[in-house]
Amino acid sequence: MAQTDRTEATKPANRSAVKPKAAAKKKTAKKPMRKIIAMPQVQGCHIIAIVNQKGGVGKTTTAVNLACALGRLGQKVLLIDCDSQCNATSGAGFSHDSVKASIYDLMSGDVTFAEAVLNTRYDFDIIAGSRNMAGAEVELAKLPEENRFVLLRDSIEKAQEKYNFVLIDCPPSLGMVAVNALTAADGVLVPLQCEYYAVEGLSLLVRTINENVRKFLNPRIKVEGILLTMYDSRAKLTTDVAEGVRALYPDVVYDTVIPRSVRIAEAPSFGMPVLVHDPSNKGSEAYVLLAEEVINRGK
Ligand SMILES: Nc1ncnc2c1ncn2[C@@H]1O[C@H](COP(=O)(O)OP(=O)(O)OP(=O)(O)O)[C@@H](O)[C@H]1O
Ligand SMILES: [Mg+2]
């Protein structure tokens, strides 16, 4: 595996040794961007659904930043925004009103796969979201049973030829759209905020994947990884929950945790991933480390 240069990130700050004037100057000087060294492209195409029925846990933030980090590491990446909130679309720099073709149009058969794909400025492509995806829950339920769960999988079949990773950002539910994503995917990445209720939701999600989706819809599906998000190492609840989740799912939880960071939260308001907004931020570095883990698990 290619090594990344962490010298800057790990250098201890010796503030007491710095004179006040120099210290003030140091504060405004930006840390250089963490050196990112491309990794060999993984074999085949790995489709990862980013799922958690709980809202606001960092699904979209992870989808956009992981897509960007994987792209920076030399992988060909497609992000699909399946949520009617269209946050991944705006986070990647597009207004959902201005896009000509969305995932809804693709699933409706109104545009081809090639027409639906947009190039972002951030080393990955995207199929934009649509407000109509809210109605898709009902529309999908009305389809004949043989099409109902596989429509997304069949609509994105062509992605296999072109991409190493396809990330699907899902809405906060285990409804028809999320089940379509689980049917299309090889693996599930579960972002988890370290709170008590999150653990209860996690067992329901893992049961749904193992007992329902794998049995009836998609035998190859597995939980690719659980990602601890908005991690605050000073909060006892965070570390207690993290310890509990690691004990319950020992080989599944990623080593990388995503720290709570204002820069991560503000990046979408500029329509860009945090890796572009503030490359030297600890959140940016965490998403690159996560991307390295995802690539290594995908080998
Ligand atoms: N590591 C982080 N540090 C600080 N804020 C974060 C972090 N990750 C996400 N956020 C913020 O938390 C909020 C929820 O994040 P996000 O939209 O990614 O969650 P989600 O699971 O996609 O939500 P939904 O279920 O509504 O789709 C957003 O305002 C986002 O900017
Ligand atoms: Mg979201």
Side-chain angles (χ1 to χ4, degrees):
M1 180 190 138
Q3 288 299 307
T4 43
D5 179 355
R6 283 171 209 147
T7 333
E8 275 305 322
T10 52
K11 206 185 272 178
N14 185 6
R15 292 209 177 83
S16 57
V18 183
K19 286 183 192 155
K21 243 187 175 174
K25 205 172 172 191
K26 224 177 170 188
K27 227 177 177 180
T28 53
K30 271 217 159 200
K31 259 203 313 177
M33 188 178 161
R34 180 180 184 274
K35 201 168 165 193
I36 297 174
I37 298 171
M39 295 170 74
Q41 287 183 356
V42 297
Q43 294 278 311
C45 176
H46 297 259
I47 303 180
I48 301 176
I50 302 180
V51 182
N52 190 332
Q53 73 276 22
K54 207 169 181 314
V57 296
K59 293 182 288 294
T60 303
T61 304
T62 297
V64 171
N65 288 296
L66 180 58
C68 182
L70 287 168
R72 288 283 173 86
L73 286 168
Q75 311 298 308
K76 291 206 177 311
V77 185
L78 174 67
L79 171 60
I80 302 177
D81 185 355
C82 277
D83 187 3
S84 61
Q85 297 178 95
C86 305
N87 295 150
T89 304
S90 55
F94 293 96
S95 151
H96 68 88
D97 316 315
S98 64
V99 297
K100 295 216 167 62
S102 69
I103 187 63
Y104 181 86
D105 301 314
L106 179 61
M107 288 174 75
S108 305
D110 294 339
V111 296
T112 64
F113 177 79
E115 286 167 341
V117 172
L118 301 168
N119 305 121
T120 73
R121 284 175 290 155
Y122 311 122
D123 301 293
F124 65 91
D125 293 343
I126 189 167
I127 298 182
S130 161
R131 296 285 189 227
N132 292 333
M133 285 306 276
E137 291 288 344
V138 179
E139 291 171 47
L140 282 165
K142 285 186 189 156
L143 290 179
E145 207 171 320
E146 63 270 24
N147 295 342
R148 200 180 292 167
F149 302 110
V150 295
L151 190 61
L152 177 63
R153 184 193 71 190
D154 295 350
S155 307
I156 62 169
E157 214 174 9
K158 283 217 152 54
Q160 303 271 354
E161 297 161 14
K162 203 174 158 198
Y163 296 99
N164 303 116
F165 288 97
V166 176
L167 304 181
I168 307 175
D169 184 32
C170 290
S173 82
L174 285 178
M176 295 298 289
V177 172
V179 172
N180 261 262
L182 292 171
T183 307
D186 303 300
V188 186
L189 189 158
V190 186
L192 193 84
Q193 216 180 326
C194 294
E195 294 173 344
Y196 176 69
Y197 289 135
V199 185
E200 289 191 347
L202 180 62
S203 49
L204 169 68
L205 177 56
V206 172
R207 237 188 4 257
T208 305
I209 293 166
N210 291 343
E211 290 174 20
N212 299 94
V213 179
R214 187 180 300 140
K215 213 166 173 182
F216 301 112
L217 295 168
N218 179 4
R220 69 182 191 289
I221 191 88
K222 61 172 184 172
V223 179
E224 178 82 22
I226 296 170
L227 174 68
L228 304 177
T229 61
M230 298 184 229
Y231 194 91
D232 178 358
S233 54
R234 292 162 306 176
K236 186 159 175 352
L237 182 60
T238 298
T239 50
D240 283 355
V241 172
E243 215 172 272
V245 175
R246 284 192 193 280
L248 272 175
Y249 304 97
D251 300 322
V252 184
V253 183
Y254 292 108
D255 293 337
T256 307
V257 298
I258 307 300
R260 186 173 281 283
S261 151
V262 172
R263 303 295 267 170
I264 292 179
E266 70 189 15
S269 66
F270 297 96
M272 55 177 66
V274 70
L275 272 97
V276 178
H277 177 53
D278 186 354
S280 61
N281 177 262
K282 56 186 179 359
S284 302
E285 299 195 353
Y287 274 113
V288 174
L289 290 173
L290 173 68
E292 288 174 355
E293 274 197 73
V294 169
I295 292 169
N296 284 329
R297 287 190 188 189
K299 275 179 186 166

